[in-house]
Structure formats: C-alpha cells, structure tokens
Amino acid sequence: PATKYTNQAEPPTAETATKDYQLICSKKELKTFVAQLRTHGQFAIRVICDSQTAMRTNIVGFSLSEGTHQARYIPLRQSMLDSKPQLSLPEAIEILKPILEDESIAKLGHDLKFDFLVLARHGVRIQGIEADTMLASYLFDSTQSTHQLENIVPKHIAYRPLKEEDVCGRGTKAINLNQVPPENLLDYASERSDLAFQLV
C-alpha cells in the first residue's frame, strides 16, 4: 500500500534522506563497481540523457543502483575542455557492455524501453530485463495521466524526488542536463536508479 504523509510530517528529500550516492569518474572505479554488481546478481539502471527522444538524444551519464538508498552516477566527459576527470562514452560503454548484455544478471529500471533504444544505438543490447516500474505503474492504474518516476514515487514511498527543473532551472533560464556539473546532478541522477530499485 502507498505510504501516506501529512503536512506535519513532510516526506524526506535528497537533502534530508540518508543515502549513499557517489560519483564514479575513473575506469578503475567503474571496473570495481561492475565487479560488485556481478556479485549482487541484479541492479537498477537509468541512462541519463539530454532529451526524451531516444533516437536522437545524447548520453550524459549512467545511474546504477545495487540496493535501497544506494547509487553510483557515472558522468561522461562532454568535451576535452572539461577540467575534472571523467570517463568518455566509449570508455564507459566498453566497461558496462558485458554486464548489461549478461542475461543472468537481472536489470531493473523505470522506462527501460527508452534505455534499451538509446543503448542499442551505441551497440549495446540490454539483456535480463526483469522489472520496469513504468510498466508496473500502468498495469496498476492505466487511468493515470502520467507514469513518470517523480509522479508515482510519492504514491508508494514516503519520499519527494527531484524533478529535472530542480537541477536545470525553469523557463528561459533553464539549461540542459549536459550543462549541469556532475556534482550538482548527482542526487537527481542517482535517484533515477535508486528509486526504481526501491519501487521494485
């Protein structure tokens, strides 16, 4: 059943919740984390992109969760002018592809069709998809006007997720996700996989 809350007991947010969200910015760190994911046998994934058009979008990073309130965000180098060390897309794909295509390891997520299409454009075919919380939400209540993660989470978990506008701004001053510094995108990106893991 959905967890209810009142104005007197506001749900936790990224600022107030106890969590383990971290950036992964090197090949060594990512290889170590991938090995850890293999021992768990399942993980949640979200491909963070700069638009919602799967066939044209650019990958900004990868969010991976192996457990409740835990996630790692792998930001990708957008240009050679980036001052902080980050992985390039080819480097990240090379390390992630074997585990993403391993059907013996269960993949969880929200709107995995989008992730599947985006990754297929880069030569990766996700195997072992076990649960998609967007599809589950539709099956529970097909009359909902939207099944976005930030809309369904408060109905099932006492938590208020970040929205894209919370990190990108609104209106004419809004910027693209690929312009947000990785440290500022960490909580938003990490929630995309962590909350899907929790919903499953």
Side-chain angles (χ1 to χ4, degrees), residues 78-186:
Q78 301 300 314
S79 74
M80 297 309 293
L81 298 177
D82 290 335
S83 58
K84 294 186 178 181
Q86 295 173 41
L87 291 165
S88 67
L89 178 57
E91 289 172 333
I93 290 288
E94 179 185 7
I95 298 170
L96 291 171
K97 183 175 181 177
I99 196 169
L100 290 174
E101 295 187 337
D102 188 338
E103 61 182 15
S104 70
I105 299 174
K107 314 305 186 303
L108 320 173
H110 188 85
D111 192 11
L112 285 172
K113 178 182 179 181
F114 179 87
D115 294 340
F116 184 95
L117 291 173
V118 171
L119 286 170
R121 290 173 44 220
H122 297 278
V124 179
R125 293 184 65 83
I126 301 178
Q127 302 291 329
I129 293 176
E130 182 170 287
D132 186 326
T133 54
M134 177 176 274
L135 293 178
S137 174
Y138 182 82
L139 291 172
F140 277 123
D141 184 3
S142 61
T143 64
Q144 291 185 84
S145 59
T146 178
H147 297 273
Q148 296 301 313
L149 190 68
E150 56 265 31
N151 297 109
I152 68 171
V153 162
K155 298 178 181 180
H156 302 280
I157 303 172
Y159 187 86
R160 190 172 73 243
L162 290 166
K163 298 178 181 179
E164 187 171 321
E165 65 184 26
D166 293 326
V167 293
C168 292
R170 305 176 186 179
T172 57
K173 294 184 177 180
I175 60 175
N176 198 285
L177 279 177
N178 62 18
Q179 298 174 286
V180 181
E183 56 271 21
N184 294 350
L185 195 55
L186 175 61

